[in-house]
Amino acid sequence: MMRRPDPTVWGDVDGPFTADEVAAYDAKGFHIEDGLLTPAQVQSCWTEFSRMADDPRVEASGAVVRERGSDAVRSIFAVHRHSPVIDALARTPRILDRARQILGSEVYIHQSRINAMPGMVGTGFGWHSDFETWHAEDGLPTPRTVSLSIALTDNFAFNGGLMLMPGAHRVFVPCVGETPDSNFRESLQEQKVGVPSDDAVTDLGLEFGIEQFTGPAGHALFFDANSMHASSNNITPYSRANVFLVFNSVENAPHAPFGAQAPRPAYIADHDTTPLTPIDATEFA
């Protein structure tokens, strides 16, 4: 493990985050924003999730990932491409300007998806840093990326709510071993490559502790690309679903993968680095 040489907050531009919130994000690697979406906006996103889950064109694109051994939807990728509602969501000033504020530049969507943690059968995500995969398989040079997870259902501690290690984003954990060809086909269901060892997770957990993102639908979590995070299986009847948007700086455009033979397909790691343009806030309702 090595101390991260890159900043967490890349600029000093004004934006929706207060100075105290920016400082806390810099220290912890994440920020929870209560009530980012209204109930009506949450319902609009949920309606889109249901529509995409039943759309044969979305299925044919490869964007739908199902739970291993089940037809239950685990994730739908490239949702900003398949849904004008999600595209508008990413461009609303209260969201887009927060990403610009943290990253100190114009941004584009590197990845978007809706993660569904279906009741009784939803399997979790082991401890990992997203940047390890985005660097090795997508070619992002630095962790100049901010992720946004918005709850579409109530996120409880017992239905797979996301766990994070506050401050561990300042430590980079390189993962040993070669990346198999088309690793994404397996890793999207169960990630076994590009994850830290149990010893590394133990050391980080003892040093930094663990907090959890919970709250009602509409609450949101902004977190750094190098945050160490995980979620457990959902063995409750209460399904959990979150919209997940990854904003990358246009100054951090991907190169050739640093640890894979070929980049992942565009529906997983978008190849269009055109800066996002904001919309009128009233267009997303």
Side-chain angles (χ1 to χ4, degrees):
M1 295 189 286
M2 63 190 76
R3 291 289 162 178
R4 163 186 179 156
D6 305 293
T8 305
V9 177
W10 292 76
D12 56 2
V13 298
D14 293 331
F17 285 128
T18 67
D20 287 344
E21 288 171 340
V22 170
Y25 180 91
D26 184 56
K28 298 176 66 173
F30 59 89
H31 166 79
I32 296 174
E33 185 73 18
D34 295 349
L36 184 67
L37 298 190
T38 67
Q41 291 167 340
V42 168
Q43 184 59 54
S44 294
C45 294
W46 182 261
T47 299
E48 285 296 275
F49 170 57
S50 299
R51 179 188 63 79
M52 288 184 285
D54 293 331
D55 189 334
R57 294 170 298 179
V58 179
E59 180 82 39
S61 74
V64 179
V65 179
R66 300 188 182 275
E67 291 287 348
R68 191 182 298 275
S70 168
D71 286 334
V73 173
R74 177 175 173 84
S75 301
I76 301 178
F77 280 81
V79 289
H80 72 297
R81 298 296 186 189
H82 294 294
S83 168
V85 171
I86 304 299
D87 179 68
L89 172 67
R91 297 173 187 270
T92 54
R94 68 183 179 280
I95 290 176
L96 181 57
D97 288 349
R98 281 181 163 88
R100 288 165 161 173
Q101 184 179 9
I102 292 296
L103 300 180
S105 69
E106 295 298 320
V107 300
Y108 71 95
I109 295 288
H110 173 68
Q111 183 185 94
S112 71
R113 64 182 186 263
I114 294 179
N115 281 342
M117 186 75 75
M120 307 305 295
V121 298
T123 54
F125 297 84
W127 287 103
H128 67 286
S129 156
D130 290 327
F131 178 65
E132 168 67 25
T133 297
W134 297 342
H135 180 69
E137 298 188 43
D138 299 338
L140 295 193
T142 65
R144 193 173 178 177
T145 304
V146 60
S147 300
L148 169 62
S149 178
I150 307 174
L152 298 185
T153 60
D154 293 348
N155 280 219
F156 299 110
F158 50 73
N159 71 339
L162 195 70
M163 298 177 286
L164 306 100
M165 295 183 180
H169 67 294
R170 297 185 181 277
V171 179
F172 178 68
V173 184
C175 301
V176 300
E178 295 184 4
T179 303
D181 290 342
S182 299
N183 177 57
F184 67 91
R185 300 187 189 280
E186 293 291 328
S187 66
L188 297 182
Q189 288 185 317
E190 183 180 8
Q191 189 172 2
K192 297 181 179 179
V193 176
V195 295
S197 67
D198 289 349
D199 287 344
V201 171
T202 299
D203 289 344
L204 290 173
L206 292 174
E207 180 176 355
F208 295 103
I210 296 173
E211 295 184 21
Q212 193 167 31
F213 170 49
T214 60
H219 278 31
L221 169 74
F222 292 84
F223 63 104
D224 179 79
N226 197 49
S227 291
M228 191 61 64
H229 61 285
S231 59
S232 57
N233 295 346
N234 184 10
I235 59 172
T236 76
Y238 305 104
S239 294
R240 180 179 72 85
N242 291 50
V243 177
F244 188 79
L245 302 171
V246 179
F247 298 94
N248 186 40
S249 169
V250 295
E251 299 172 10
N252 192 44
H255 297 193
F258 291 92
Q261 293 299 314
R264 297 190 296 177
Y267 67 85
I268 298 175
D270 206 305
H271 302 162
D272 183 358
T273 61
T274 304
L276 291 179
T277 55
I279 64 167
D280 189 304
T282 60
E283 292 184 40
F284 180 76

